[in-house]
C-alpha cells in the first residue's frame, strides 16, 4: 500500500472511534546458608579519627562504621553497626562521649554516643536536611556543624544538653549566599572559623562575636578539615592543589594568624585525607593520610600509629535466574514506551519494538503507524486530535514527523540538531516545544535545551537553562510550558528533588511547583479544568497524585492521591476527563469524574530472533576467552544462534564457510557500564556498538519502559543492535541528581519500585548513593529471591549486605568523598581486601577521568573508520573541549587507578570493562578503556578476558556468553591483527557475529549502501 494510503487507513480507523504478562523466572532463595568471611583491615581509604582529650583513646571512622581503639592498643572494637554510616567523630572535652554525623535515617543527622558503656547512639538532630561536620566547643556546651537547612550550607550551633535531656533546636550562625563548611571553634570562645569553597577555590573566614566575618585567606587551592590549634594562634587544614602538570597534591598545612602564612607540615607526595587534624596538649597533631593514622610532631619525624579492624561479613548464596535465549515462542511485550492519550481519551499512541503504534481503546484495535528500522519515539497529539507527531532518526537525521489523521499525509521537520526529544504542540498548533542538544555538549542523553519552534517563522528559541530532558506540557492559553527539573538543596552537593517548573514563554520567568516538600516528582502531565485553572498529575512516592493550579500555574489547595498504587508516565486527555498511566507490565485508564479504572493493555507479543542456518567461521587464530594464548587454524561451526563446535579446520565441510583464516576471532566484547539513553535512542547507536565489536551492553540506569523497548527491538531483530542487560531506574534515596534515579521516600514506595522491577523483568538492580543502608538490605533480599544481582557505588557496607558488584573505582558518593579512592586517586589495603575476600566484582570505568588522555596518547581512536563514519571530527572536538574540565592531570589519576587495577587482576578479582558512556562516545569509549588497561601494565589476554568472560560473569550471562565454546551463543568479533600483542588492534574490525548473524563492518557503517 502506498505510504499515504496506509496512513489514511490507520487514521480512518482512529477517527471512527474518536496484560497478560508471564512472571519472570526466579531463582529460589530457600537455602539461606551464608558464607562468613573474616577480613582484617590495616589501612583505610579516606579514614578519619578523633582522639580523646582525656586518655588518648581513638575513635576511627572507617568504611561507614566507628571503632574504638584504646590508647596503647592496636586492635579495635566496633561502636556502630553498618546501618549507621557514621563519619567525622568528635570527642566531648570530657571524653565521655562523641558526636558524629550518621546517615541511619536517610539524611545526615548528628548522633551522640558513649563509646565505653555499650549504649546505642542517640539522635541529636532529625529531619529532611543534612547536618555534617560536628565539632564540640571547648566547654562542651555547644556543637557547631554545617547544614543545608537554609537553602545553602550555613553554620549552625546546637546546645548539646545534659544526660537524657534533648538538645534545643539548632540556631543558625551564618547567613551566606555561598556554602560554608568545616567549622571550628576558637579554643577560648572567641568565635569560630570556617571555610567557603567554590569552583574558584577556597577561603578561610573568622567569625568573632558581634563582628563581621574576617577573610583570612583566599586561595585557588581547595581547603578542608579546618581546626584551631589549642593556643588559638593558628589554624590547620588539608590543602588540595595541582602541580604545573595538573597532578593533584595534598598536604596538612598550618596557617599562622599573625603572619598570614601557610606552611605545609607533611612531605611532598603525601595523600592527606580531607578531615581535621586532632591537636594534642604536647603540640603534636594526629591526622589520617596514606591509608594510616599518623602523628606530626614539631621536633620529630611523622610517626605511624597502626590499627587493625576485624570485620565479619556473611554473604548468602542464591540461585541466579537463567535467561531463555533459545525459544522463538511469542513473548509479551514489556517495552511500551511513553504512551500518550488522545485528546478525547479514546486512543493511545506509544512506541514498542522500535515502531509507533496506535491503540483504539474502545474498539480494541491496534494499528502500526511506522514500519522501518528507525527509532520512532515520544509521540504527541495536537490539541485538536487531528495530528500525531513523533521523533524519528529515519535516514540518519533527527526530525519531527507528523501524521495528518484526516487525510493520511505525513510530513517531517528536519532540524540541524544531534537529537530532539519530547515534542509538544502548542494549543493553537503553530508552535512545537521540545528539547534539543546543547551546543558543544556531547552528553546528549544527560542534558538538553528546552526550545520552541515557530512553524510560521521557522524561528527556534531557547527557554530556561539546559536541564535533563523531561516530558513537556503547554498551558491551555499557551502562556506556560510545564516540565520537571532538578531543585538542588545547595551548591556544595549536587543532589536535590525534581520539582515541577512552569516557564512563561513570553517573559522567560519561571517558578518551581513543589506540592509536597522534600519529595521528588517524575512524569508530570497537565490538563485544563475549564475555569481558567489547570490540574497537573504526576508520579510521586510511587503513586499517582494531582495538584490543582491557578491560571498563573500556582498551587491551589493541597495535592491529592488519585491512584494509591504504582503509576508511571501519566498522560491526560485534553479535557482532563481521562488519565492513562503505566504500572509495570500493565496500562490503565482512569476516569477522573467517576474514579473508575480499567486496564487497557494492548495484547502485543514479540519473538526472539533465532536464525535457522548452519555455517562455518574459519579463523586463523582464536582467542576463546578462557586461555592466555591463541588456538590456530580453527573452524567454528555455528548452528542457528549458538556455537555447535570448535575444532581443527575441516576442508571437506559442505557447510558455507566465512573465511577469516588470515584474521583473529575473539568473543564478542562487553560494555559493562553504559547509559544508553533515558529519553531517546537511535537506530545508529545499535549499529555503532556492533561496529566496535561490542555485542553485549549492560545499562546501569535507564527509564525501565524505554530500556525494555530497546532490549526487545534488538533481541527480536527489529533493529540491529547488541544484547542488553537492563536495570531500569536507579533506586536512590529521597534526594536525587540524575533524572534516571527514582527518589525513594518511604518503605511503601520502595515496595512499589521493586514490584516494577519484577514486572519488567530487569536483569539486575542498581542502587544509588542517597539510599539508606536499611533499604539497601531490603533490595538485596528482594533481588536475590528474584535471582538477579545488585550493584551500587558502595564498597562497605554494601559488601556486608550481599551487594554483588561495585560501579567505578571512584564515582559519586553522598559523603563528599568516596571510600574506594582518595582525591589523589589512590586506594589502600581495605579496598582490595574487601573486593578479594568477598568476591565482589567491580567495573572500574578508568576512562573517566582518563578520557583526557585519549586525545593525546590514544588519538588513533578518533581516526578509525568507525569513528569517522559514526561521529566525525566535530564530535571529537566537542568531547575534547567538554572533557577538559578533568584537567591535564588525569594521567596521575589513571596511574593511581592502575595500581589498584593491576593488584586486583593479578590476585584474581572479578574485574569487568565499562566506560560510563556517554561521557565517552558509544563504542569508542570501551576501546579507550582497554588501552588504559594496557597502559597500566595488563597483558593482552587479561584485558580481553576482562572485556569478555569476566564481564559476562558480571552480567550473570557466563553460561551463554563471554567465551568461544561449543554450546555458547555465537557472539564473536573478527579482527585483522594481533590483539594479544597490542590491544589497540581490536579496533581493526572486519566484521561482527551477533546471535549467529554476521555483519561486515560496511554493513554496520553504511547500511543504505
Amino acid at each position: 500500500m502506498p505510504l499515504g494510503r496506509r496512513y489514511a487507513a490507520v487514521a480512518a480507523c482512529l477517527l471512527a472511534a474518536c496484560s497478560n504478562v508471564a512472571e519472570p523466572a526466579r531463582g529460589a532463595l530457600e537455602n539461606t546458608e551464608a558464607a562468613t568471611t573474616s577480613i582484617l583491615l590495616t589501612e583505610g581509604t579516606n579514614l578519619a579519627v578523633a582522639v580523646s582529650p582525656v586518655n588518648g583513646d581513638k575513635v576511627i571512622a572507617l568504611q561507614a562504621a566507628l571503632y574504638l581503639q584504646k590508647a596503647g592498643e592496636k586492635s579495635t572494637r566496633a561502636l556502630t553497626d553498618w546501618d549507621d554510616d557514621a563519619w567525622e567523630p568528635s570527642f566531648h572535652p570530657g571524653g565521655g562521649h562523641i558526636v558524629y554525623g550518621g546517615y541511619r535515617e536517610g539524611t545526615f543527622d548528628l548522633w551522640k554516643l558513649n563509646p565505653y558503656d555499650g549504649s546505642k547512639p542517640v539522635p541529636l538532630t532529625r529531619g529532611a536536611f543534612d547536618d555534617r561536620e560536628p565539632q564540640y566547643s571547648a566547654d562542651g556546651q555547644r556543637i557547631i556543624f554545617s547544614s543545608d537547612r537554609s537553602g545553602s550550607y550555613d553554620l549552625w550551633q546546637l546546645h548539646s544538653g545534659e544526660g537524657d535531656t534533648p538538645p534545643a533546636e539548632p540556631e543558625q550562625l551564618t547567613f551566606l549566599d555561598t556554602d560554608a563548611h568545616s567549622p571550628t571553634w576558637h579554643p577560648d570562645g572567641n568565635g569560630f572559623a570556617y571555610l567557603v569553597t567554590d569552583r574558584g577555590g577556597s577561603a578561610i573566614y573568622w567569625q568573632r562575636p558581634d563582628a563581621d566575618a574576617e577573610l583570612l585567606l583566599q586561595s585557588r587551592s581547595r581547603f578542608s578539615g579546618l581546626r584551631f590549634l589549642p593556643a588559638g594562634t593558628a589554624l590547620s587544614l588539608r590543602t588540595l592543589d595541582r602541580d604545573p602538570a595538573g597532578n593533584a597534591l595534598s598536604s596538612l598545612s598550618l596557617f599562622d594568624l599573625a603572619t598570614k602564612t601557610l606552611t605545609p607540615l607533611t612531605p611532598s607526595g603525601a595523600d592527606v585525607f580531607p578531615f581535621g587534624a586532632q591537636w594534642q596538649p604536647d603540640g603534636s597533631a594526629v591526622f589520617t593520610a596514606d591509608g594510616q593514622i599518623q602523628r606530626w610532631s614539631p621536633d620529630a619525624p611523622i610517626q605511624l600509629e597502626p590499627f587493625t579492624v576485624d570485620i565479619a561479613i556473611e554473604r548468602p548464596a542464591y540461585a541466579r535466574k537463567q535467561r531463555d535465549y533459545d525459544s522463538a515462542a511469542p513473548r509479551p511485550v514489556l517495552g511500551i514506551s511513553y504512551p500518550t492519550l488522545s485528546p478525547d481519551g479514546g486512543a493511545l499512541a506509544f512506541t514498542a519494538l522500535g515502531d509507533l503504534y496506535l491503540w483504539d481503546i474502545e474498539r480494541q484495535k491496534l494499528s502500526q503507524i511506522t514500519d522501518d528500522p528507525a527509532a520512532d519515539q515520544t509521540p504527541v497529539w495536537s490539541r485538536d486530535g487531528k495530528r500525531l507527531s513523533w521523533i524519528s532518526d529515519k535516514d540518519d537525521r533527527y526530525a519531527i514527523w507528523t501524521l495528518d489523521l484526516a487525510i493520511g499525509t505525513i510530513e517531517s521537520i528536519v532540524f540541524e540538531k544531534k537529537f530532539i526529544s519530547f515534542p509538544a504542540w502548542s494549543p493553537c498548533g503553530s508552535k512545537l516545544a521540545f528539547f534539543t542538544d546543547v551546543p558543544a555538549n556531547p552528553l546528549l542523553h544527560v542534558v538538553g535545551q528546552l526550545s520552541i519552534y515557530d512553524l510560521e517563522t521557522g524561528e527556534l528559541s531557547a527557554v530556561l537553562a539546559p536541564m535533563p530532558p523531561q516530558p513537556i506540557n503547554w498551558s491551555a492559553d499557551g502562556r506556560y510550558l510545564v516540565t520537571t527539573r532538578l531543585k538542588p538543596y545547595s551548591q556544595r552537593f549536587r543532589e536535590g528533588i525534581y520539582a515541577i517548573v512552569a516557564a512563561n514563554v513570553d517573559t522567560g520567568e519561571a517558578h518551581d511547583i513543589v506540592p509536597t516538600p522534600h519529595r521528588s516528582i517524575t512524569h508530570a502531565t497537565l490538563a485544563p479544568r475549564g475555569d481558567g485553572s489547570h490540574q497537573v498529575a504526576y508520579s510521586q512516592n510511587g503513586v499517582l497524585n494531582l495538584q490543582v493550579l491557578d491560571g498563573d500555574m500556582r498551587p491551589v489547595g493541597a495535592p491529592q492521591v488519585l491512584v494509591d498504587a504504582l503509576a508511571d508516565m501519566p498522560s491526560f486527555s485534553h479535557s482532563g476527563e481521562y488519565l492513562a498511566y503505566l504500572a509495570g507490565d500493565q496500562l490503565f485508564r482512569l476516569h477522573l469524574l467517576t474514579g473508575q479504572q480499567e486496564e487497557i493493555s494492548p495484547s502485543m507479543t514479540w519473538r526472539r530472533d533465532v536464525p535457522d542456518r548452519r555455517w562455518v567461521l574459519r579463523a586463523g587464530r582464536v582467542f576463546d576467552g578462557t586461555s592466555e594464548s591463541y588456538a590456530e587454524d580453527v573452524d567454528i561451526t555455528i548452528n542457528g544462534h549458538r556455537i555447535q563446535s570448535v575444532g581443527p579446520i575441516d576442508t571437506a565441510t559442505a557447510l558455507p564457510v566465512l573465511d577469516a583464516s588470515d584474521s583473529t576471532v575473539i568473543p564478542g566484547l562487553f560494555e559493562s557500564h553504559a547509559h544508553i539513553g533515558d529519553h531517546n535512542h537511535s537506530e545508529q547507536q545499535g549499529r555503532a556498538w556492533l561496529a566496535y565489536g561490542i555485542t553485549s551492553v549492560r545499562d546501569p540506569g535507564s527509564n525501565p519502559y524505554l530500556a525494555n523497548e530497546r532490549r526487545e527491538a534488538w533481541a527480536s531483530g527489529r533493529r540491529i543492535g547488541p544484547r542488553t542487560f537492563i536495570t531500569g531506574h536507579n533506586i536512590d534515596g529521597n534526594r536525587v541528581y540524575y533524572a534516571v534515579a527514582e527518589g525513594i521516600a518511604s518503605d511503601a514506595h520502595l515496595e512499589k519500585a521493586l514490584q516494577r522491577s519484577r514486572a519488567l523483568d530487569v536483569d539486575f538492580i542498581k542502587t544509588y548513593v542517597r539510599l539508606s543502608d536499611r533499604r539497601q538490605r531490603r533490595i538485596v533480599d528482594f533481588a536475590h529471591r528474584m535471582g538477579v544481582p545488585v550493584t551500587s557505588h558502595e564498597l562497605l557496607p554494601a559488601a556486608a549486605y550481599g551487594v554483588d558488584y561495585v560501579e567505578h573505582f571512584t564515582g559519586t558518593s553522598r559523603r563528599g568523598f568516596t571510600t574506594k579512592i582518595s582525591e589523589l586517586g589512590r586506594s589502600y589495603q581495605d579496598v582490595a581486601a574487601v573486593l578479594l575476600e568477598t568476591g565482589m566484582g567491580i567495573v572500574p570505568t578508568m576512562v573517566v577521568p582518563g578520557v583526557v588522555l585519549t586525545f593525546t596518547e590514544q588519538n588513533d581512536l578518533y581516526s578509525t573508520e568507525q569513528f569517522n563514519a559514526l561521529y566525525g571530527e566535530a564530535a571529537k572536538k566537542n568531547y575534547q573541549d567538554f572533557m577538559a574540565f578533568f584537567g591535564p592531570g588525569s594521567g596521575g589519576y589513571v596511574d593511581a587507578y592502575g595500581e589498584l587495577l593491576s593488584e586486583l587482576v593479578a590476585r584474581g578479582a572479578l574485574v569487568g570493562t565499562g566506560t560510563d558512556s556517554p561521557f565517552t562516545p558509544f563504542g569508542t569509549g570501551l576501546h579507550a578503556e582497554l588501552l588504559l588497561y594496557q597502559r597500566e601494565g595488563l597483558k593482552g589476554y587479561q584485558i580481553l578476558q576482562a572485556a569478555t568472560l569476566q564481564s559476562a560473569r558480571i552480567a550473570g550471562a557466563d553460561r551463554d556468553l563471554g567465551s568461544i565454546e561449543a554450546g555458547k551463543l555465537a557472539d564473536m568479533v573478527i579482527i585483522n591483527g594481533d590483539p594479544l600483542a597490542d590491544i589497540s588492534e581490536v579496533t581493526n574490525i572486519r566484521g561482527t557475529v551477533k546471535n549467529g548473524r554476521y555483519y561486515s563492518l560496511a554493513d554496520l557503517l553504511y547500511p543504505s549502501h
Side-chain angles (χ1 to χ4, degrees):
M1 183 182 293
L3 182 65
R5 290 176 58 197
R6 185 164 74 83
Y7 280 111
V10 172
C13 291
L14 283 168
L15 291 177
C18 325
S19 112
N20 179 23
V21 177
E23 201 169 42
R26 297 188 293 278
L29 191 64
E30 301 305 325
N31 179 12
T32 57
E33 202 173 306
T36 301
T37 302
S38 180
I39 306 174
L40 187 68
L41 305 182
T42 59
E43 293 182 343
T45 303
N46 278 330
L47 83 159
V49 65
V51 182
S52 169
V54 175
N55 56 22
D57 291 350
K58 298 186 182 78
V59 171
I60 300 170
L62 173 63
Q63 293 291 349
L66 299 182
Y67 301 88
L68 176 66
Q69 183 187 37
K70 302 283 286 183
E73 296 181 4
K74 188 174 180 181
S75 61
T76 59
R77 174 175 62 83
L79 297 175
T80 58
D81 62 35
W82 295 121
D83 283 358
D84 288 304
D85 193 13
W87 293 95
E88 301 183 277
S90 172
F91 263 102
H92 186 275
H97 59 263
I98 60 170
V99 64
Y100 65 88
Y103 198 75
R104 186 178 189 90
E105 297 182 356
T107 54
F108 279 106
D109 300 311
L110 303 188
W111 296 76
K112 178 180 175 181
L113 173 66
N114 185 320
Y116 300 107
D117 65 1
S119 59
K120 293 183 178 181
V122 176
L124 300 179
T125 62
R126 273 183 166 144
F129 300 102
D130 279 347
D131 301 330
R132 303 174 185 254
E133 306 168 302
Q135 290 292 310
Y136 272 110
S137 59
D139 60 6
Q141 297 300 306
R142 295 169 295 163
I143 299 168
I144 194 170
F145 61 99
S146 64
S147 177
D148 58 12
R149 295 164 178 258
S150 60
S152 62
Y153 266 86
D154 274 297
L155 303 182
W156 298 67
Q157 71 172 352
L158 186 71
H159 292 275
S160 57
E162 295 296 333
D164 295 330
T165 304
E169 284 297 307
E171 174 189 351
Q172 189 170 352
L173 298 176
T174 63
F175 300 83
L176 305 174
D177 294 329
T178 55
D179 290 318
H181 64 99
S182 197
T184 178
W185 291 109
H186 192 278
D188 66 4
N190 190 19
F192 55 89
Y194 60 92
L195 299 174
V196 171
T197 299
D198 57 28
R199 292 188 177 184
S202 295
I204 305 175
Y205 287 89
W206 186 357
Q207 177 68 66
R208 295 179 178 88
D210 303 319
D212 292 336
E214 177 187 355
L215 174 62
L216 299 178
L217 178 65
Q218 182 84 46
S219 174
R220 294 177 63 86
S221 303
R222 298 182 68 82
F223 298 157
S224 61
L226 191 67
R227 293 291 182 271
F228 269 111
L229 271 65
T233 58
L235 288 156
S236 67
L237 60 154
R238 198 286 296 264
T239 62
L240 186 67
D241 300 282
R242 292 187 180 274
D243 66 16
N247 297 304
L249 304 171
S250 64
S251 174
L252 175 63
S253 297
L254 195 68
F255 179 71
D256 188 289
L257 292 173
T259 65
K260 300 294 192 292
T261 55
L262 189 67
T263 305
L265 303 180
T266 49
S268 176
D271 186 9
V272 181
F273 299 153
F275 310 110
Q278 306 288 298
W279 288 91
Q280 304 303 302
D282 63 0
S284 66
V286 178
F287 65 103
T288 55
D290 303 315
Q292 299 280 354
I293 299 172
Q294 304 188 20
R295 184 181 293 266
W296 176 90
S297 299
D299 302 315
I302 290 176
Q303 299 292 318
L304 301 183
E305 300 194 347
F307 66 90
T308 60
V309 170
D310 196 352
I311 59 175
I313 292 177
E314 291 188 357
R315 292 172 62 83
Y318 67 100
R320 292 288 283 264
K321 178 169 63 177
Q322 299 298 330
R323 291 285 171 191
D324 176 9
Y325 292 104
D326 298 317
S327 173
R331 303 165 189 253
V333 167
L334 299 177
I336 292 178
S337 177
Y338 292 109
T340 305
L341 201 57
S342 63
D344 65 1
L348 270 173
F350 59 87
T351 297
L353 298 172
D355 287 307
L356 193 69
Y357 289 84
L358 287 174
W359 175 231
D360 185 327
I361 300 169
E362 309 304 331
R363 299 176 60 192
Q364 296 286 288
K365 181 176 177 58
L366 185 67
S367 304
Q368 186 173 349
I369 296 298
T370 62
D371 186 8
D372 54 48
D376 306 315
Q377 54 201 307
T378 55
V380 60
W381 300 82
S382 62
R383 188 61 58 92
D384 59 10
K386 295 179 179 179
R387 290 175 291 180
L388 182 68
S389 299
W390 64 94
I391 304 296
S392 178
D393 66 346
K394 188 175 181 179
D395 302 324
D396 283 339
R397 302 182 304 174
Y398 269 103
I400 297 178
W401 294 74
T402 299
L403 168 65
D404 188 311
L405 293 166
I407 59 178
T409 58
I410 183 171
E411 297 178 346
S412 66
I413 306 173
V414 178
F415 300 91
E416 296 301 320
K417 294 292 180 181
K418 296 183 181 68
F419 90 87
I420 308 166
S421 60
F422 298 124
W425 283 101
S426 65
C428 63
S430 65
K431 296 178 181 178
L432 274 167
F434 46 83
F435 281 94
T436 69
D437 54 287
V438 177
N441 188 323
L443 305 184
L444 306 182
H445 304 279
V446 178
V447 64
Q449 177 61 63
L450 180 59
S451 304
I452 297 176
Y453 178 71
D454 190 312
L455 275 72
E456 296 175 356
T457 67
E459 180 183 357
L460 185 67
S461 56
V463 181
L464 301 182
M467 68 180 82
Q470 298 285 286
I472 303 167
N473 305 268
W474 288 83
S475 62
D477 57 11
R479 289 194 301 141
Y480 288 94
L481 289 179
V482 174
T483 183
T484 56
R485 69 176 178 185
L486 182 68
K487 182 179 176 63
Y489 279 81
S490 73
Q491 297 178 44
R492 184 182 178 195
F493 297 99
R494 65 187 190 177
E495 289 84 10
I497 61 167
Y498 273 82
I500 300 167
V501 57
N504 188 304
V505 299
D506 296 320
T507 66
E509 296 177 351
H511 62 270
D512 292 326
I513 302 166
V514 184
T516 305
H518 310 297
R519 294 293 182 266
S520 210
I521 284 172
T522 59
H523 306 135
T525 181
L526 187 73
R529 287 167 54 87
D531 59 356
S533 65
H534 291 76
Q535 53 191 351
V536 59
Y538 53 92
S539 298
Q540 186 179 72
N541 298 345
V543 302
L544 193 59
N545 301 266
L546 184 135
Q547 173 69 61
V548 175
L549 305 174
D550 65 19
D552 293 321
M553 298 293 124
R554 303 286 179 178
V556 177
Q560 66 180 94
V561 175
L562 287 179
V563 177
D564 192 13
L566 178 66
D568 297 317
M569 294 189 183
S571 173
F572 265 124
S573 63
H574 170 56
S575 65
E577 182 179 359
Y578 291 101
L579 187 65
Y581 62 92
L582 282 163
D585 54 3
Q586 296 175 297
L587 258 171
F588 289 92
R589 184 175 64 174
L590 170 68
H591 191 276
L592 269 72
L593 296 180
T594 65
Q596 180 181 358
Q597 294 184 67
E598 57 179 324
E599 186 183 350
I600 56 170
S601 307
S603 179
M604 295 185 70
T605 60
W606 66 281
R607 296 175 185 269
R608 187 175 292 279
D609 176 34
V610 180
D612 183 18
R613 179 175 180 251
R614 290 183 69 214
W615 57 287
V616 173
L617 174 57
R618 181 161 294 161
R621 292 181 296 202
V622 171
F623 175 78
D624 65 9
T626 66
S627 59
E628 298 181 9
S629 59
Y630 296 120
E632 297 188 354
D633 300 324
V634 176
D635 271 0
I636 304 169
T637 302
I638 298 166
N639 186 2
H641 63 306
R642 289 193 180 268
I643 298 170
Q644 180 175 316
S645 64
V646 181
I649 287 177
D650 178 9
T651 57
T653 183
L655 295 174
V657 175
L658 177 61
D659 187 3
S661 57
D662 59 349
S663 302
T664 302
V665 176
I666 66 172
L669 301 173
F670 270 75
E671 161 61 272
S672 293
H673 191 115
H675 298 279
I676 304 179
D678 181 37
H679 54 83
N680 76 308
H681 54 286
S682 68
E683 184 274 335
Q684 183 198 67
Q685 187 193 129
R687 291 185 285 109
W689 293 117
L690 298 187
Y692 278 100
I694 298 163
T695 56
S696 294
V697 176
R698 178 173 169 267
D699 183 351
S702 284
N703 178 302
Y705 301 96
L706 179 60
N708 254 310
E709 190 275 329
R710 186 164 46 225
R711 178 171 66 177
E712 292 168 351
W714 284 341
S716 66
R718 188 69 188 90
R719 291 203 306 269
I720 295 173
R723 305 178 192 279
T724 55
F725 299 87
I726 65 170
T727 182
H729 293 305
N730 295 158
I731 300 181
D732 208 348
N734 191 52
R735 297 188 186 190
V736 300
Y737 177 69
Y738 293 110
V740 70
E742 181 171 13
I744 300 299
S746 65
D747 290 346
H749 185 185
L750 176 59
E751 294 307 313
K752 292 178 175 65
L754 295 176
Q755 169 195 337
R756 184 201 301 116
S757 294
R758 184 189 295 279
L760 294 181
D761 197 18
V762 301
D763 298 295
F764 64 107
I765 293 177
K766 182 183 177 185
T767 62
Y768 212 59
V769 299
R770 294 283 308 196
L771 187 73
S772 70
D773 292 300
R774 179 178 64 82
R775 289 182 178 146
Q776 174 81 72
R777 283 189 284 114
R778 166 59 186 143
I779 290 168
V780 170
D781 178 70
F782 176 90
H784 287 180
R785 290 181 182 277
M786 187 174 149
V788 301
V790 178
T791 190
S792 76
H793 282 201
E794 296 296 311
L795 183 65
L796 281 173
Y801 301 145
V803 172
D804 300 86
Y805 307 119
V806 188
E807 305 299 319
H808 315 294
F809 273 170
T810 179
T812 306
S813 170
R814 62 184 174 236
R815 305 175 188 99
F817 55 89
T818 82
T819 60
K820 297 175 292 183
I821 294 287
S822 74
E823 288 185 274
L824 269 59
R826 303 174 192 172
S827 69
Y828 296 92
Q829 179 264 349
D830 55 337
V831 174
V834 172
L835 289 171
L836 289 161
E837 295 297 331
T838 64
M840 291 180 79
I842 189 165
V843 181
T845 64
M846 286 173 56
V847 75
V848 181
V851 63
V852 177
L853 295 179
T854 68
F855 301 110
T856 54
E857 299 180 6
Q858 305 171 5
N859 196 47
D860 288 349
L861 281 176
Y862 301 94
S863 59
T864 63
E865 186 175 2
Q866 294 100 314
F867 192 87
N868 289 335
L870 295 166
Y871 304 117
E873 186 64 28
K876 174 187 174 182
K877 187 177 187 308
N878 277 351
Y879 269 99
Q880 192 167 7
D881 293 345
F882 186 78
M883 294 303 171
F885 76 86
F886 281 116
S890 63
Y893 289 110
V894 170
D895 288 341
Y897 293 177
E899 293 182 16
L900 176 60
L901 174 72
S902 298
E903 179 183 4
L904 293 176
V905 172
R907 296 178 62 185
L910 179 57
V911 177
T913 54
T915 65
D916 213 10
S917 290
F919 285 96
T920 59
F922 293 128
T924 313
L926 182 69
H927 291 270
E929 183 82 354
L930 303 187
L931 283 166
L932 292 176
Y933 284 21
Q934 180 172 269
R935 181 186 191 270
E936 298 307 315
L938 265 62
K939 297 177 181 178
Y941 79 89
Q942 295 172 318
I943 300 170
L944 287 181
Q945 284 178 349
T948 56
L949 187 56
Q950 295 283 66
S951 288
R953 287 171 177 153
I954 288 174
D958 53 302
R959 186 184 74 166
D960 294 293
L961 294 165
S963 60
I964 299 174
E965 299 178 81
K968 288 206 169 181
L969 293 168
D971 287 10
M972 292 169 281
V973 190
I974 304 170
I975 297 166
N976 292 325
D978 182 0
L980 292 186
D982 183 355
I983 205 67
S984 68
E985 297 201 356
V986 177
T987 58
N988 298 329
I989 292 172
R990 172 178 163 182
T992 300
V993 180
K994 185 252 176 170
N995 203 47
R997 297 192 185 276
Y998 173 71
Y999 302 91
S1000 72
L1001 187 61
D1003 292 336
L1004 297 168
L1005 298 181
Y1006 316 108
S1008 60
H1009 297 172

